Amino acid sequence: MGGEVMTGAEMVIRAFQDQGVDTLFGYPGGAVLPIYDALFHQDKVNHILVRHEQGAVHAAEGYARSSGKVGCVLVTSGPGATNIVTGLTDAMLDSIPLVCITGQVPTHLIGTDAFQECDTVGITRHCTKHNYLVKSIDDLPRILHEAFYVAKNGRPGPVVIDLPKDIQFASGLYERPTTMRHKTYKPAVKGDADRIRAAVELMAGARRPVFYTGGGVINAGPEASRLLRELVAETGFPITSTLMGLGAYPGTDEKFLGMLGMHGTYEANLSMHECDVMICVGARFDDRITGRLDAFSPFSKKIHIDVDASSINKVVKADIGIVGDCASVLADMLEAWRSLPERPQKSNLESWFQKIRAWKGRDCLAYWPSGTIIKPQYAVQRLYEACKDRKTFITTEVGQHQMWAAQYFKFDEPNRWMTSGGLGTMGYGLPAAIGTQLANRDGLVIDIAGEASILMNIQELSTAIQYRLPVKVFILNNEYMGMVRQWQELLHGSRYSQSYSESLPDFVKLAEAYGAKGMRCEKPGDLDAAIAEMIDYDGPVLFDCVVDKTENCFPMIPSGKAHNEMLLSDYLGETGVELGDVISEEGKMLV
C-alpha cells in the first residue's frame, strides 16, 4: 500500500496543497493549534490572518468568486465556528464554493459542554451544502478531498469539516485519491437532448423573447459566459441579468437591458413582463426578481436551465426544465440552433425591439443633477468612468449603494463583481475586497460601501494593512441606513425609526489610525481629482464621499407588486413623459 504516515493536522495541509490551495483565511485558537503548527512548517499555503472569523469567510468568498477557485477557511471551535455562520449562509445562498475547517474539542469531550464546545455540525447543517464531523483518522484523507469535490461540483456551495483536536494529533496513512468523487453525489452535467431541442424550437418561434441570466452562468466558468454571448449573437435576442449574474454578458452591449428585479431597469422589468418566451439560464427566480408571483411574466413560455434539479419548478413553473451545467447546455443549445432547418430572421424581432427602445427612452436611471451636492448616482458614474479601462473588481456592502453600483457600473467581464445577493449581508464588502485582491494582485479592487455597512467589519482594514493590499473603500456617506430610510419614507409614512447613522466616526482619522490613507470629498467639482488620487495611491484607502442624504434608489418595485408596477424617479430630463402616463399596455408608472 502506498501513502505516507502523518498526523491529522499534517493531512489537512497536505490535502490543501494537493488541491492547489495557495491562500487560506483564518484565525487561530486552541482547538486548531496542531493545524497552525503544521502550517508553520511549510511554505506553499499562504495563511491570511483576519480580525474576525466572519471576515475570513467573506474574504474566502471574494477570493472564490473572483478567481473561480474554492475559497478556504480555518477557524477554531466554539465562538470561532459560530462566528462563521453568517458567512456560510451568505455563500450557501449565492452558491460560492468554500471548504471551511473548524476545530472541535477532543472526541471524548463532545457532548459534555466542554470549554469552547458547540454543536458545529448541527448549527451549520442548514447553511452548508454538506458538513462532516470526523471521528476517525482513517476517514480524514477521504473527507478532505471529498469536501472540495462537493463544494465545487453541481451547484457550488460551502462545506464544513469539523475536526476534533485528538484527530489532529492522531497519526494515520495519507493517500491522495486517484479520483476526486463522492460515492453518492453525482450532479448532472449534460442536459437532456430532447428538452434542449424542444427549447430551441420554442425559441425559434418567439416574437418577444428575452434571456434572463444569473450567477449560475458565472459559476460555470468563463466558457459559459463565452457561449452565452455567442447564443445571444446568433439569436439576436435581448438579455437581462440578476444582481449575481452581472458581467456574464457585456453590460455595455446594446442588447443588454440592464439588471432586472426590485431595483432593475424599466426596460428589463417590462421586457420580462411582456415577453412571450423567457430563457432562464443559471438563475433561481428569487423573490427580488419575480415580484408578485401570480403576475410574474404572465404571457411567456418559460425555459429554465439550472445545474440544481431542486431549483426547477421550485418557485416558478417551467414549461421546459433542463438540468445541467450551464456551459454544457449552452453549447448544446448553440449547436441545436445552428442546426435548425430554417433559422428565424432577426428582422422578425424588430417590433419587439421598437417597444424595448421606447422603454429605454424613458431613461429610468436619470436623476436630478446638482452642482453643489454630490448625488450618489453621479459618484458611481464618475468612479466607473475612472475605472472602466482598467482591470477593475468591485465588491459592495449592502444597501442603496449596492443597487446604485449595480445600476451605474457596467461590467463587461465575469468574475469582476462581488456582492452579497441572497442574504444581503452588511459587512461583506471589505473582507471580500481583501480576498479579491489576494486572488488578483494586479487588479484594482474597490469596495463601494455605505457609512453604516462599512462599520460592520471595519476591523478587516488591519488585514489589508498587514498584507499590503491596496484595496479602496469608496463610501457613499448619506448619514442614513439608506435603504431602510427609503422604505420608511415610501412605505411607513416617513417615520425614520432608528435609521439615522448617529455618532459616525471621522473616516479620515479612522483610516489614519489603522495606517491607511483617509480622504473626504463633499463637492461634485472635486470628485474626479479625488477619485484619481484614490486610485493612484499605493495602499488601502478609506474615501468618505459625502452624498445627498435624501436621494432614493429608483426604479423600485414595492414589495408585493408586479414588474409593471414600478416606482420611478420624478426626474424626466428631456423625455417628455408626464407623471402618471400609461407607459405599458398593462400598467402605469407609479410616482
Side-chain angles (χ1 to χ4, degrees):
M1 181 181 293
E4 184 180 345
V5 175
M6 60 182 72
T7 67
E10 291 168 336
M11 289 180 185
V12 171
I13 304 306
R14 179 64 66 83
F16 281 167
Q17 293 172 350
D18 288 346
Q19 288 287 343
V21 174
D22 55 19
T23 305
L24 173 65
F25 302 91
Y27 201 95
V32 284
L33 286 184
I35 300 175
Y36 273 89
D37 193 52
L39 269 171
F40 185 83
H41 294 287
Q42 59 85 54
D43 59 5
K44 293 181 180 178
V45 178
N46 182 33
H47 181 274
I48 303 299
L49 178 66
V50 297
R51 271 47 180 182
H52 190 284
E53 291 90 350
Q54 181 184 349
V57 185
H58 294 326
E61 287 185 274
Y63 178 92
R65 183 77 174 174
S66 65
S67 68
K69 301 178 182 178
V70 176
C72 294
V73 175
L74 174 61
V75 299
T76 194
S77 64
T82 58
N83 280 346
I84 67 172
V85 168
T86 297
L88 292 174
T89 308
D90 191 271
M92 184 69 177
L93 287 174
D94 286 346
S95 304
I96 309 300
L98 303 179
V99 170
C100 301
I101 308 290
T102 59
Q104 184 55 275
V105 300
T107 51
H108 68 278
L109 290 178
I110 292 175
T112 67
D113 294 332
F115 178 67
Q116 291 193 333
E117 181 198 357
C118 73
D119 179 10
T120 301
V121 168
I123 290 170
T124 64
R125 181 168 287 120
H126 298 291
C127 60
T128 56
K129 188 175 176 183
H130 194 55
N131 60 18
Y132 301 86
L133 173 60
V134 183
K135 297 179 180 179
S136 168
I137 187 67
D138 296 334
D139 295 330
L140 184 56
R142 172 186 58 82
I143 287 172
L144 287 165
H145 290 287
E146 255 185 26
F148 280 86
Y149 174 82
V150 172
K152 65 187 177 183
N153 283 277
R155 178 180 174 182
V159 177
V160 163
I161 301 173
D162 199 30
L163 189 53
K165 193 169 184 179
D166 57 325
I167 306 297
Q168 297 172 43
F169 278 122
S171 293
L173 188 67
Y174 175 84
E175 287 186 285
R176 180 178 179 176
T178 54
T179 56
M180 306 298 179
R181 299 286 180 185
H182 186 282
K183 60 183 179 182
T184 58
Y185 180 61
K186 298 175 183 178
V189 174
K190 290 283 289 182
D192 182 85
D194 290 339
R195 289 173 178 266
I196 290 172
R197 278 193 296 271
V200 167
E201 289 170 6
L202 184 59
M203 290 162 58
R207 290 296 177 267
R208 301 189 310 278
V210 67
F211 281 104
Y212 151 40
T213 58
V217 180
I218 293 173
N219 288 340
E223 181 69 1
S225 293
R226 184 188 68 78
L227 290 164
L228 174 66
R229 295 165 193 225
E230 279 195 42
L231 189 56
V232 171
E234 289 279 348
T235 61
F237 293 178
I239 179 171
T240 181
S241 169
T242 67
L243 179 73
M244 297 302 294
L246 295 175
Y249 189 84
T252 55
D253 188 86
E254 63 179 1
K255 290 187 179 63
F256 187 63
L257 306 176
M259 182 179 72
L260 80 157
M262 180 170 281
H263 291 286
T265 65
Y266 183 53
E267 51 269 27
N269 283 330
L270 285 186
S271 294
M272 285 288 281
H273 185 77
E274 297 194 13
C275 69
D276 65 351
V277 173
M278 175 204 304
I279 308 100
C280 174
V281 188
R284 57 187 178 88
F285 294 98
D286 177 78
D287 63 289
R288 298 284 143 149
I289 296 299
T290 62
R292 199 174 88 232
L293 273 175
D294 62 358
F296 173 66
S297 195
F299 313 110
S300 69
K301 296 288 187 181
K302 299 171 182 67
I303 300 164
H304 188 185
I305 303 164
D306 204 294
V307 74
D308 182 3
S310 70
S311 290
I312 307 291
N313 296 323
K314 182 178 182 179
V315 177
V316 171
K317 186 181 184 307
D319 294 277
I320 302 175
I322 303 171
V323 179
D325 177 78
C326 285
S328 174
V329 175
L330 287 170
D332 290 343
M333 287 185 92
L334 197 56
E335 183 180 348
W337 181 270
R338 289 168 174 164
S339 300
L340 285 171
E342 187 175 342
R343 283 197 235 174
Q345 298 296 313
K346 292 180 183 177
S347 59
N348 294 343
L349 304 177
E350 181 53 34
S351 62
W352 180 226
F353 275 103
Q354 280 184 352
K355 209 166 196 180
I356 289 172
R357 284 193 289 270
W359 293 330
K360 283 186 175 182
R362 173 56 179 85
D363 194 10
C364 68
L365 297 181
Y367 54 90
W368 289 101
S370 173
T372 58
I373 189 169
I374 299 172
K375 294 289 185 172
Q377 304 96 320
Y378 177 76
V380 176
Q381 285 179 315
R382 299 317 302 162
L383 182 65
Y384 169 69
E385 290 299 324
C387 299
K388 65 181 182 181
D389 295 325
R390 298 171 178 261
K391 185 180 178 182
T392 304
F393 299 82
I394 298 295
T395 71
T396 76
E397 309 294 335
V398 168
Q400 284 179 319
H401 61 274
Q402 177 190 29
M403 295 298 105
W404 283 318
Q407 290 173 337
Y408 295 95
F409 215 98
K410 309 298 181 185
F411 297 93
D412 286 342
E413 300 295 334
N415 307 106
R416 300 292 181 88
W417 165 248
M418 278 58 66
T419 195
S420 173
L423 192 60
T425 307
M426 295 172 70
Y428 170 91
L430 175 54
I434 287 169
T436 300
Q437 189 76 79
L438 283 160
N440 303 273
R441 292 281 189 170
D442 61 340
L444 171 62
V445 181
I446 302 173
D447 171 27
I448 298 178
E451 84 290 335
S453 278
I454 191 59
L455 294 177
M456 289 281 189
N457 273 317
I458 190 66
Q459 75 284 340
E460 298 309 325
L461 197 54
S462 281
T463 305
I465 293 292
Q466 179 178 345
Y467 296 99
R468 296 181 174 86
L469 303 172
V471 297
K472 320 300 182 188
V473 181
F474 191 73
I475 303 170
L476 300 182
N477 186 350
N478 60 10
E479 297 185 3
Y480 276 97
M481 299 174 204
M483 194 61 82
V484 175
R485 183 202 58 75
Q486 176 169 334
W487 280 58
Q488 288 174 336
E489 176 184 327
L490 299 175
L491 304 174
H492 297 278
S494 297
R495 293 181 293 277
Y496 302 125
S497 177
Q498 303 301 313
S499 56
Y500 180 60
S501 299
E502 296 189 65
S503 302
L504 285 171
D506 181 325
F507 285 109
V508 174
K509 291 181 179 178
L510 182 61
E512 292 170 350
Y514 277 102
K517 181 180 180 65
M519 300 178 64
R520 182 178 173 90
C521 187
E522 300 181 43
K523 298 178 180 179
D526 298 336
L527 190 56
D528 284 353
I531 288 173
E533 182 182 348
M534 175 190 75
I535 291 171
D536 290 341
Y537 181 73
D538 186 20
V541 178
L542 273 186
F543 188 113
D544 187 9
C545 186
V546 180
V547 300
D548 191 338
K549 296 178 176 60
T550 63
E551 197 72 13
N552 286 331
C553 184
F554 292 115
M556 174 183 173
I557 301 175
S559 181
K561 298 294 185 180
H563 278 142
N564 62 327
E565 298 178 289
M566 282 170 280
L567 296 174
L568 299 180
S569 167
D570 60 0
Y571 179 71
L572 304 177
E574 299 178 359
T575 63
V577 178
E578 296 295 333
L579 302 187
D581 275 358
V582 177
I583 49 177
S584 79
E585 294 175 2
E586 289 76 29
K588 289 186 178 182
M589 171 173 62
L590 305 175
V591 290

